[in-house]
Amino acid sequence: MGETEEPTLMQAQSIIVIHPGSLYLKIGRASDLNPHTELHALARRRLNGDLSPHTDRLLPPIVCKLKDIEAELDKCRLSISHCLQSCPMSDGQRRYATPPQQIAQYNRRSRPEPVNNSIITDWVKPEADVVVGAEVLNINPEWDYNIHFPIKRGELNIHAGVGGSLTAVLADLECIWGWVIQTKLHIQLQDLKNYRAVLVIPDIYNRQYLRELTNMLLQMGFSSCFLLQDHVGATFGAGLGTACVVDCGHSKTSVSCVEDGITQPATRVRLPYGGGDITQCLFWLLNKCGFPYKDCNPLLPLDALLLEKFKQESCHVDLDVCGCRERSFIINQPQREPVRYTVQVGDECMIAPLSLFQPELLNLTGPKVMVTQKRNTGDPSDPHDSDYLRETGRKGKEAPEAAADGGGSAPADEEIVDIEMTGDAEFNAGPPSQLLSIDQAILQSIQRCASDDLKKKMYSCILVVGGGMKFRGISNWLQKKISLQIPPNFRPEQTDIVTTPMDPMIVAWKGAAILACLESAHELWITKAEWEKYAVKVLRERSPFIWRRSVGEICTGILVLTLLEEIMRIIFMIRHIWNI
């Protein structure tokens, strides 16, 4: 037993799993119990004479004029509030709520209290031209640094400002990942030739970006790499073979249906809101209740962190919690004496998380457009891309017609295949201004499954991951909302909202680490020599997800199915550990 385990452990130690997000980067060896989590940002000192500063914010900024949408926001707030008041508690009694006006009277009288034995700190200006990770938050906004978050709303953060080109964003990613590998994993970049990389990518992907990211990993020095979709990794990490995956992150929420290691393209949808939008919603609700910290500015990193922490400690969806409760928080910032505020909060701490079910309340961070997987329109660097397959498929269909006209006949043993893409049509989600709530997105995603049997399976198992929905009781609320809307002919015996014992933020990373260590995963690795010779063609053939979709095309499906026996063995082991 020991002889077989040791090579596996050594193999796992030489694999680095990278899961980049819009707020945090999860990275570590496949043998690690948990990944290192680092702020996914960097700051670059501005060049002399640079008059175009750029700062990406930790929280999505409020881009709408609140006066213009105040009435709509109040209407949504009251709608959720009335819904909560009509819900019974676990003992059958009706809930009660403290009016915001009463809470505001208390909060307006709240005064800051000095913190005993506190020390006033000062800003510490970095000596380096580039600052990476959490230290970015300690940079004085008045200093000459540009701050960049390379990923935004589930995509590379390409924009028209300074550092917003594809080349610049890729350079930022390489700088951040290289710094974390050296400082946290204690691996020198020149030694990466002894390591392999697994990159966790979004379920809805841009093929050009995947090509560039693969090239970047191999140029960094890794001996080989492969890419894995985050929803597929989440099912492996949770020990599930089939599930509708809901991944709520900091700035986006994505939904898709995963069966046997493949996420169905037609079911993928990405909603442009997440935990950061909920934090801004909470800040708006707190201000309506007389929030005493009047200088709070969510655009400043330290204030944004304070609001994030307040949300994590205070927000919930527990119907048994009624009335107002006291909360305290400490403001400890450079050049300011640390002070403590005590505030009262009521149902605002429930209304903010429930904005996921009424996303009109999140319009304060600007208009949002839902995203689905786009049709593959071809790749100029790949001679056998989808355009080629469609054209050859049409020619194959035309051959029998020519034979009927006396123009010859097709070989009897040659199968005529229609290569037209299927299942990549857009969602029918109504007007663009009408954004789907999280329960509606789940229902529409499942309804896009190919068979009724698969739809029933998905309704019975919904997996929730990501850090944006870490609120007590929200799984029960989601289960009730979904159960009431399932069509009768697809209604399962029970709808399970699955949450894992591990931190939901690292489930996809953990699944990628499990998959990378499977013996049959060696078919997925792309070496630097293969990449230099075949480029995107080898990525298309080795990807453990459907790079191109066509009727009658085996593609990567067979490759993924060869992993199922080992995957189910790992799933059984994970469930056994959980039961223990």
Side-chain angles (χ1 to χ4, degrees):
M1 177 68 71
E3 293 180 359
T4 58
E5 286 181 353
E6 187 174 352
T8 303
L9 180 61
M10 291 177 62
Q11 176 190 11
Q13 289 176 341
S14 66
I15 297 174
I16 297 178
V17 182
I18 305 170
H19 185 189
S22 56
L23 183 60
Y24 291 111
L25 168 70
K26 280 79 70 179
I27 185 170
R29 293 178 175 87
S31 58
D32 294 341
L33 183 62
N34 294 313
H36 293 275
T37 301
E38 189 66 47
L39 189 75
H40 203 194
L42 89 168
R44 294 185 183 274
R45 194 190 302 272
R46 299 189 194 113
L47 300 175
N48 293 333
D50 187 356
L51 301 178
S52 303
H54 179 83
T55 301
D56 289 326
R57 305 297 181 180
L58 190 144
L59 293 179
I62 297 178
V63 297
C64 296
K65 293 182 179 180
L66 287 178
K67 292 182 179 179
D68 297 340
I69 60 172
E70 191 86 25
E72 180 186 358
L73 295 178
D74 271 326
K75 181 180 177 181
C76 295
R77 178 184 63 83
L78 289 173
S79 175
I80 298 176
S81 180
H82 293 158
C83 179
L84 289 172
Q85 292 181 39
S86 66
C87 294
M89 296 188 291
S90 58
D91 58 4
Q93 297 184 17
R94 292 196 59 173
R95 295 187 75 257
Y96 62 90
T98 304
Q101 297 82 359
Q102 180 178 332
I103 296 176
Q105 289 180 1
Y106 175 91
N107 289 338
R108 291 191 186 103
R109 294 194 299 268
S110 178
R111 294 292 181 267
E113 303 172 359
V115 179
N116 294 332
N117 302 322
S118 61
I119 300 175
I120 300 178
T121 60
D122 201 355
W123 298 100
V124 179
K125 192 166 186 177
E127 298 178 358
D129 291 337
V130 179
V131 181
V132 179
E135 290 300 317
V136 170
L137 302 177
N138 297 322
I139 293 178
N140 190 330
E142 297 179 359
W143 291 342
D144 53 344
Y145 279 87
N146 291 327
I147 297 177
H148 303 281
F149 283 80
I151 295 180
K152 180 180 180 181
R153 304 287 188 195
E155 287 279 4
L156 296 185
N157 188 12
I158 308 297
H159 55 83
V162 175
S165 67
L166 177 59
T167 304
V169 172
L170 291 171
D172 290 344
L173 288 173
E174 183 175 353
C175 182
I176 296 171
W177 298 357
W179 180 85
V180 176
I181 288 171
Q182 291 185 94
T183 58
K184 304 298 182 180
L185 304 185
H186 307 292
I187 299 172
Q188 297 302 313
L189 296 184
Q190 60 266 27
D191 296 332
L192 287 182
K193 60 181 179 294
N194 302 318
Y195 292 84
R196 293 179 286 176
V198 178
L199 179 62
V200 181
I201 63 170
D203 63 318
I204 295 180
Y205 53 82
N206 182 308
R207 291 172 177 82
Q208 178 191 2
Y209 295 167
L210 298 194
R211 184 174 68 244
E212 297 294 341
L213 289 169
T214 303
N215 184 68
M216 186 188 79
L217 287 173
L218 296 173
Q219 291 298 322
M220 285 179 68
F222 287 104
S223 63
S224 58
C225 69
F226 74 78
L227 313 183
L228 181 73
Q229 287 173 298
D230 52 3
H231 286 197
V232 175
T235 58
F236 294 161
L240 300 171
T242 300
C244 177
V245 181
V246 183
D247 183 357
C248 184
H250 179 70
S251 63
K252 60 88 181 173
T253 300
S254 55
V255 183
S256 76
C257 296
V258 179
E259 181 188 27
D260 296 337
I262 294 182
T263 169
Q264 308 299 310
T267 67
R268 301 173 196 163
V269 58
R270 185 168 69 226
L271 306 169
Y273 54 75
D277 302 271
I278 295 173
T279 304
Q280 284 283 30
C281 177
L282 175 65
F283 181 56
W284 175 75
L285 292 167
L286 291 174
N287 281 331
K288 294 188 73 66
C289 297
F291 192 55
Y293 179 27
K294 298 301 182 183
D295 295 332
C296 183
N297 182 358
L299 297 183
L300 299 179
L302 295 180
D303 283 344
L305 273 184
L306 184 147
L307 291 172
E308 277 284 313
K309 183 179 180 182
F310 189 91
K311 178 191 72 174
Q312 293 167 6
E313 295 176 349
S314 304
C315 286
H316 62 90
V317 189
D318 187 348
L319 294 175
D320 288 342
V321 177
C322 299
C324 61
R325 297 199 170 196
E326 287 190 359
R327 292 283 186 270
S328 63
F329 58 92
I330 296 176
I331 302 172
N332 188 6
Q333 298 182 5
Q335 297 180 347
R336 296 177 61 172
E337 181 181 0
V339 295
R340 177 185 286 105
Y341 280 97
T342 300
V343 299
Q344 284 188 352
V345 291
D347 278 356
E348 292 73 23
C349 291
M350 297 181 70
I351 294 174
L354 291 179
S355 61
L356 291 169
F357 301 89
Q358 194 150 354
E360 294 83 6
L361 199 55
L362 302 176
N363 282 338
L364 52 85
T365 53
K368 300 172 177 63
V369 179
M370 186 180 66
V371 179
T372 58
Q373 185 68 59
K374 304 303 181 189
R375 185 185 297 270
N376 185 1
T377 56
D379 188 340
S381 64
D382 184 1
H384 295 90
D385 61 9
S386 295
D387 288 345
Y388 170 84
L389 292 171
R390 281 194 290 270
E391 291 303 318
T392 54
R394 290 192 184 99
K395 291 178 182 179
K397 290 175 64 177
E398 293 169 0
E401 298 177 5
D405 294 337
S409 60
D413 59 346
E414 183 175 344
E415 181 182 2
I416 306 301
V417 180
D418 181 7
I419 313 284
E420 287 294 331
M421 296 178 67
T422 60
D424 287 337
E426 298 288 337
F427 272 73
N428 296 321
S433 59
Q434 183 180 354
L435 190 62
L436 288 181
S437 62
I438 193 167
D439 55 313
Q440 292 168 342
I442 293 171
L443 292 165
Q444 287 213 26
S445 177
I446 295 176
Q447 283 301 113
R448 300 279 294 182
C449 289
S451 67
D452 292 349
D453 183 56
L454 184 57
K455 292 176 185 177
K456 196 168 183 179
K457 287 182 181 178
M458 295 299 170
Y459 279 123
S460 66
C461 184
I462 299 173
L463 172 64
V464 178
V465 296
M469 287 183 64
K470 293 172 64 174
F471 304 111
R472 184 176 76 255
I474 198 167
S475 295
N476 294 333
W477 188 277
L478 178 62
Q479 183 180 29
K480 292 175 182 177
K481 292 283 287 186
I482 295 293
S483 299
L484 292 173
Q485 301 176 74
I486 298 176
N489 53 324
F490 299 126
R491 194 176 299 276
E493 294 182 3
Q494 183 178 355
T495 298
D496 291 329
I497 306 297
V498 181
T499 55
T500 62
M502 71 180 80
D503 185 347
M505 289 179 61
I506 68 170
V507 175
W509 181 92
K510 196 69 176 178
I514 292 171
L515 177 62
C517 296
L518 297 182
E519 185 176 336
S520 50
H522 71 276
E523 297 285 347
L524 303 175
W525 295 105
I526 300 171
T527 66
K528 188 173 183 179
E530 290 172 328
W531 180 256
E532 291 175 349
K533 183 175 181 180
Y534 300 108
V536 73
K537 295 187 288 295
V538 70
L539 179 60
R540 181 192 68 202
E541 297 300 333
R542 298 278 181 86
S543 299
F545 51 88
I546 301 176
W547 181 265
R548 61 176 189 252
R549 296 200 78 231
S550 56
V551 178
E553 179 186 5
I554 298 177
C555 192
T556 58
I558 288 181
L559 178 59
V560 174
L561 290 175
T562 60
L563 301 174
L564 286 181
E565 184 176 348
E566 286 196 65
I567 291 170
M568 295 311 297
R569 177 174 60 83
I570 297 294
I571 288 173
F572 175 78
M573 292 172 59
I574 293 172
R575 286 179 173 171
H576 178 66
I577 292 172
W578 284 1
N579 290 335
I580 293 176

